[in-house]
């Protein structure tokens, strides 16, 4: 059975230790930044998004559990004023992939967002993440914009 449990402070700190290096690596690679600059930008962004860590108003951080075992993470924000929600991060551990957990997590995200008054949801995905793009498309997500770059 798949469940979603809000993170406590220790779980949040463990999640940041896990998530941040991947985010820094992806940012450096996709935006052609050196690791030091990517790290600085990522840390600054986390401070802005999560000033009160897991207790930041509007931010929702969950551990995804499969039969009480940690299967992944889900992080999203709901803006009640703007009536929209944004998915910041979804991750399913390798051992739990291809079991429908990501789909369950996205439906949970959508339902929670709707319950909090959101009229629509959005997300960002790197263009190289073809599996995620296929999943989002399958679940009805459409491209809202396309950001492109070229290495000179």
């Amino acid at each position: 059975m798949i469940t979603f449990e809000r993170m406590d402070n220790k779980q949040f700190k463990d999640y940041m230790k896990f998530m941040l290096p991947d985010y820094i690596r992806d940012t450096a690679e996709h935006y052609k930044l050196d690791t030091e600059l990517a790290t600085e930008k990522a840390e600054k962004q986390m401070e802005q998004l999560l000033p009160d860590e897991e207790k930041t108003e509007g931010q929702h951080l969950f551990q995804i559990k499969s039969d009480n075992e940690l299967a992944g993470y889900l992080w999203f924000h709901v803006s009640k004023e703007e009536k929209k929600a944004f998915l910041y991060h979804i991750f399913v551990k390798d051992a739990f992939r291809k079991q429908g957990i990501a789909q369950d997590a996205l439906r949970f995200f959508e339902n929670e967002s709707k319950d909090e008054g959101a009229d629509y949801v959005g997300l960002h995905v790197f263009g190289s993440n073809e599996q995620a793009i296929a999943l989002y498309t399958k679940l009805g997500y459409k491209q809202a914009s396309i950001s492109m770059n070229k290495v000179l």
Side-chain angles (χ1 to χ4, degrees):
M1 183 168 104
I2 305 303
T3 56
F4 301 88
E5 297 178 10
R6 287 196 183 272
M7 291 182 202
D8 62 25
N9 190 257
K10 182 190 179 321
Q11 293 164 336
F12 171 79
K13 289 190 183 308
D14 289 344
Y15 168 65
M16 283 290 123
K17 286 179 193 170
F18 164 80
M19 184 273 297
L20 210 47
D22 280 344
Y23 182 64
I24 290 165
R25 194 170 30 257
D26 284 344
T27 300
E29 177 185 336
H30 289 92
Y31 296 112
K32 305 302 176 200
L33 302 173
D34 65 46
T35 304
E36 187 177 316
L37 183 56
T39 300
E40 183 182 316
K41 285 178 161 283
E43 288 174 349
K44 196 174 288 185
Q45 185 177 23
M46 292 306 121
E47 288 171 12
Q48 291 171 342
L49 292 172
L50 298 161
D52 295 321
E53 298 183 332
E54 80 284 357
K55 293 179 180 156
T56 302
E57 187 175 341
Q59 299 287 2
H60 303 271
L61 295 115
F62 292 90
Q63 288 189 331
I64 303 169
K65 300 278 185 93
S66 176
D67 296 323
N68 291 320
E69 191 174 343
L70 181 63
Y73 301 101
L74 179 66
W75 169 25
F76 61 92
H77 176 262
V78 178
S79 171
K80 292 181 181 181
E81 301 79 32
E82 297 179 63
K83 296 188 174 196
K84 68 179 182 180
F86 189 82
L87 178 68
Y88 280 107
H89 189 225
I90 181 172
F91 176 80
V92 176
K93 294 168 96 177
D94 287 343
F96 295 92
R97 292 189 179 170
K98 306 280 188 218
Q99 298 176 28
I101 292 173
Q103 287 183 48
D104 289 347
L106 287 165
R107 287 189 190 101
F108 176 82
F109 158 60
E110 293 167 3
N111 291 333
E112 290 290 305
S113 298
K114 187 175 183 177
D115 288 349
E116 289 207 25
D119 291 334
Y120 71 98
V121 296
L123 57 85
H124 170 268
V125 60
F126 286 115
S128 61
N129 194 342
E130 294 174 4
Q131 286 184 325
I133 292 168
L135 173 62
Y136 299 142
T137 301
K138 176 181 171 183
L139 295 178
Y141 288 78
K142 308 274 187 238
Q143 287 183 359
S145 67
I146 299 175
S147 175
M148 299 174 76
N149 58 20
K150 178 180 176 180
V151 176
L152 299 177

